[in-house]
Structure formats: structure tokens, C-alpha cells
Amino acid sequence: SSGINAEYGGLADGTRTQRAGVQKLLIAEAENDASSQEMASTLASMMAISVAFVLAIFSGYVYQMWANQIHQDYFSLPDQCSGAIQKQHPAMLEFSRNALRNLEDIRYPDRIDMDNLPSDIDDVTDWIAGGERMVAISGGGWYIAVDSDMSGISGEVLRSWFELANCTDMYRWWHPEDHIYGVWIGPATAQQPASSNLVFRHGSTHRVKEYVNGELDKLDIRFQDPCVNRQCSILKDQGVELILSANITVHQTGVGRVRVGNFTHLLRVHDTGTTLHSRFMVGLDIECLDDPDSWGCYFFKSTAWLLKKFLLGEAKARGIFRHCKEEMTVLGKVLRKLNTPDA
């Protein structure tokens, strides 16, 4: 019986070994199947992502072509300077280039960080007395104040320049490096009644392309009346001869026209000369004008804080300050040249 038991035990041990081997084989096959299924699922996901990526690129390309066509239509208005302007253009462009090259180095005011806008900036007297400033508002946005020398230029001369500079040649005299394109929308005399005769062409729009801080901006500058709710009459007593104020609208691909801020320029004649006081408020309130309910506008608003941080950061604010200082100082030199008897 001991022999039978030994033989039986050996058979039992062999059977258990075989069963263990079969189980291991089955487990390995199951793991291989699971791995294959996982790999197939991963490959399918990767293919789906690749297809979606290709479709997104193609859709983006098609949309970009459409958007570019829209922008091209926006910025392909008739732009024909008069024969007299064309004749003067080469000499005046070279004059403004020399004027730009010979400008003194820009001195930037120190950055000021505030939770809200300065309480005094809504007071029209601060537009003159506040001095140059670069104020960063928490949450995004800037208040930028620039003062430029325009000695010898009257309000009548500056008003005439804006009314006559209705083509790109003259717009480039103003800043020969940054200014690319500039035309008036509608008749040159288009305007709405203003609250003060100091206010320039309320209701007119200047459509421009210009570089600020190395970035090409496509803008609509729609002039407004800043004196509706302010006592601007006191400005005349302080030597102000002209007020130019406008909303700034950017043509943003994928979104359309987006209002990003406003500016006010005041030309003031005083005992020591003439100063153009320029005051910008940008990035505080952003508004889509073409299609506020579009996905592009929704995305734009949802990421406004990020856009403000990167598109309207300190580099952009310094760019606005520099651009304004250069263009207005050069314009003063151009106007003094054009205002001579032989011009």
C-alpha cells in the first residue's frame, strides 16, 4: 500500500504542477490580451487626437484666411493722397525720420501700483497738473500720462493737421517707423454736436495700423466728447485750446472689434511754451463690439485676466508711453516746418 500511495502522491503532485502551469499560462494570456486591448485603445485615442489636431489646424487655417480677409476689407479703404502731398512726401518723410533719430532718450516715470484708479484722474484739472505717470491697476489695466513739447503750435494748427491728415503718407510723417496705415472713416467733416468748441470732431473715426512695442496693432480710433459730464470750460481759462478724446478699439482675429480703452489729448499754451497732455486708460474695461455672444468673445472675456497680464503688461504700457512721446514730439517738429511761409 505504501508503494501505491507513493505513486498516487507523485501523480497528484504532477497534476498540481500541471494545473499551476496552465493557470500561469492562462494568466499570461489574459494579461497579454489586456495589454493588447490597452494598446489598441491608446492607439485609437492617439489617432483620434491626431485627427482632431489636423482638423483644428485646418479649421484654424480656413478661419484665419476668412479673418484676414475681413481685416483686409477693413484696412483697404481708399487711401489716395493729393498730388501736393505726394510731391512733398519724400522730403517730409526724411525730415520726420531725422527728427525721430535726434530725439532725446525717453525717460519713463516710475511705475505706481494701485488697487483702483487714482481718485483725481476724473478731475479735468488733473489732466494738466498730474504730470507724467504710469499707474498699474490691480486686476489689469493702466493709466498712462505723457506730456510732450509742442512749442509754437496752436490749437487751430493742430486741429487742421487732424482734419487734413486723411491719408497714409501724412500719417507716416507723424511717426515714420511705427505708423503703417491711416485713413478717416466717412467724410472729413463728419461730426456730432460737441458740448464745447474745444472738442475735436466728436463722432469721427480714424482707422490705423501702427506698431507699439514692436507689435502691430489694427485700431479704430473713434473720437468722443469727454466734456459731456465734466466742466471743461475751466480748461479754456488754463490755456487749453484743443481737446482730442477717443475710444480705442482693436481688431482682434477670432473676436472682431474689441474696445480696450480710451485717451484724451489736451493742447495747452502757457508762459513757457505749448504742451500736449496725453492721458490713456487701457485694459480696465474690455468690451466685444461685433458679436458679444460669439464663442470667440466668450473665450476672450473668460481669459481677459490672462490677456491683460501678457498683452497689456508693463512692456506694453512702456511701449504706449514711448510711442506717444515720440509721435507727438515729432508731430510738433513737422507742424512747425509745415507752418512756415514756404511750406
Side-chain angles (χ1 to χ4, degrees):
S1 66
S2 62
I4 292 173
N5 289 336
E7 183 178 355
Y8 177 79
L11 290 173
D13 290 342
T15 301
R16 284 196 293 269
T17 302
Q18 289 178 352
R19 286 178 179 176
V22 170
Q23 288 177 347
K24 288 181 180 179
L25 182 62
L26 292 174
I27 291 172
E29 288 180 352
E31 289 176 347
N32 288 336
D33 290 342
S35 177
S36 297
Q37 291 177 0
E38 184 178 355
M39 183 177 295
S41 177
T42 301
L43 288 173
S45 298
M46 291 177 63
M47 289 183 64
I49 292 172
S50 298
V51 171
F53 182 70
V54 171
L55 289 175
I57 291 178
F58 178 74
S59 300
Y61 174 74
V62 172
Y63 180 79
Q64 186 68 44
M65 291 178 61
W66 173 79
N68 286 343
Q69 183 61 45
I70 295 295
H71 285 306
Q72 184 176 350
D73 293 342
Y74 267 124
F75 292 90
S76 61
L77 297 171
D79 180 23
Q80 184 64 44
C81 293
S82 67
I85 297 300
Q86 293 180 23
K87 185 177 179 180
Q88 283 185 290
H89 180 62
M92 286 303 303
L93 189 62
E94 183 61 26
F95 174 85
S96 61
R97 282 174 175 160
N98 288 331
L100 182 61
R101 282 193 291 265
N102 294 327
L103 290 184
E104 296 181 358
D105 292 339
I106 302 296
R107 298 178 180 177
Y108 298 97
D110 293 335
R111 168 178 171 157
I112 304 171
D113 291 277
M114 301 186 70
D115 292 334
N116 299 292
L117 283 171
S119 59
D120 56 350
I121 69 164
D122 206 40
D123 183 351
V124 293
T125 57
D126 178 70
W127 293 349
I128 295 172
E132 294 187 329
R133 284 190 279 179
M134 287 177 53
V135 181
I137 310 301
S138 62
W142 289 84
Y143 172 66
I144 304 164
V146 189
D147 294 335
S148 305
D149 175 48
M150 280 210 171
S151 296
I153 306 303
S154 67
E156 182 181 357
V157 169
L158 187 59
R159 185 190 295 269
S160 296
W161 164 263
F162 275 92
E163 290 176 346
L164 295 173
N166 58 353
C167 63
T168 296
D169 282 356
M170 294 186 73
Y171 184 59
R172 291 192 64 201
W173 300 353
W174 191 353
H175 197 304
E177 291 184 359
D178 288 353
H179 287 182
I180 307 301
Y181 172 93
V183 297
W184 285 101
I185 307 300
T189 57
Q191 61 180 14
Q192 300 170 9
S195 61
S196 169
N197 59 7
L198 296 176
V199 176
F200 170 79
R201 285 177 65 169
H202 174 40
S204 300
T205 299
H206 198 203
R207 181 161 291 167
V208 305
K209 286 195 290 187
E210 65 180 15
Y211 283 98
V212 176
N213 198 42
E215 300 172 350
L216 182 63
D217 291 332
K218 301 175 181 180
L219 308 173
D220 274 356
I221 310 298
R222 182 170 178 79
F223 285 83
Q224 60 180 353
D225 186 349
C227 299
V228 173
N229 299 314
R230 298 184 178 95
Q231 295 296 322
C232 289
S233 58
I234 62 175
L235 294 175
K236 194 169 186 177
D237 298 334
Q238 297 183 35
V240 173
E241 295 190 355
L242 183 65
I243 302 173
L244 304 106
S245 185
N247 286 322
I248 306 169
T249 299
V250 176
H251 290 259
Q252 186 71 35
T253 301
V255 182
R257 294 176 304 144
V258 180
R259 186 163 58 223
V260 296
N262 61 77
F263 68 74
T264 299
H265 302 305
L266 300 97
L267 185 77
R268 182 172 68 99
V269 179
H270 47 87
D271 294 339
T272 58
T274 304
T275 300
L276 188 73
H277 303 279
S278 303
R279 306 294 182 253
F280 296 83
M281 284 190 286
V282 293
L284 302 176
D285 296 305
I286 296 178
E287 179 183 1
C288 297
L289 299 181
D290 287 333
D291 190 0
D293 298 324
S294 67
W295 67 266
C297 186
Y298 175 79
F299 175 79
F300 193 83
K301 287 184 175 180
S302 299
T303 59
W305 63 273
L306 189 63
L307 295 171
K308 288 181 181 182
K309 181 176 180 63
F310 289 100
L311 299 183
L312 288 173
E314 184 170 356
K316 189 69 170 183
R318 289 169 69 89
I320 292 172
F321 186 96
R322 181 184 187 89
H323 176 83
C324 179
K325 194 81 164 182
E326 289 178 343
E327 70 175 352
M328 294 308 180
T329 306
V330 168
L331 180 58
K333 295 177 181 294
V334 167
L335 291 179
R336 284 191 289 275
K337 180 175 177 61
L338 291 176
N339 203 35
T340 57
D342 60 339

